[in-house]
Amino acid sequence: QVQLAESGGGLVQAGGSLRLSCAASGRTLSTDFMGWFRQAPGKEREFVGAVTWSRGSTDYADAVKGRFTISRDNAKNTVYLQMNSLKPEDTAVYYCAATSSTNYRGSWSYSYWGQGTQVTVSS
């Protein structure tokens, strides 16, 4: 089993920054892809970006390209989401997730999820 725990959410003004962390534990050998998703009230869960443990390859949704950066620390089994130039539309609960599937943009591909952390951007 894999356990994931997000942290680092909070309230920030538009234009500000936050860094989220996702700590992984348990068996992660078969889960190479780590994804970040977000969900606002009344909206579907939305892909934010993903990174691989093996090579550190990253991919991002168009809505966050140039503003968000995903990285990983294999020694700590931790993935990070650095969010800069935050906008009110970034307000959501942010989740990290793990999968072995190459279809990493789809939330249905993930078997392991964290509890989520709230990010609120005020204007």
Side-chain angles (χ1 to χ4, degrees), residues 44-121:
E44 293 184 351
R45 191 164 295 186
E46 175 188 23
F47 173 76
V48 175
V51 66
T52 62
W53 290 113
S54 57
R55 301 175 69 175
S57 302
T58 56
D59 190 31
Y60 302 94
D62 289 344
V64 306
K65 284 181 179 177
R67 299 189 297 122
F68 292 9
T69 303
I70 299 173
S71 59
R72 91 280 197 243
D73 186 333
N74 294 74
K76 294 182 177 181
N77 273 359
T78 300
V79 173
Y80 303 96
L81 178 64
Q82 178 67 48
M83 305 184 293
N84 299 325
S85 301
L86 283 162
K87 306 173 181 179
E89 50 262 47
D90 295 318
T91 295
V93 176
Y94 283 71
Y95 300 89
C96 67
T99 184
S100 60
S101 174
T102 56
N103 190 20
Y104 54 81
R105 283 177 170 256
S107 61
W108 55 88
S109 295
Y110 291 80
S111 297
Y112 305 101
W113 293 86
Q115 81 284 354
T117 186
Q118 177 71 48
V119 172
T120 302
V121 184

Side-chain angles (χ1 to χ4, degrees), residues 8-24:
L11 175 64
V12 65
Q13 291 185 329
S17 298
L18 281 174
R19 191 184 198 191
L20 307 184
S21 298
C22 175

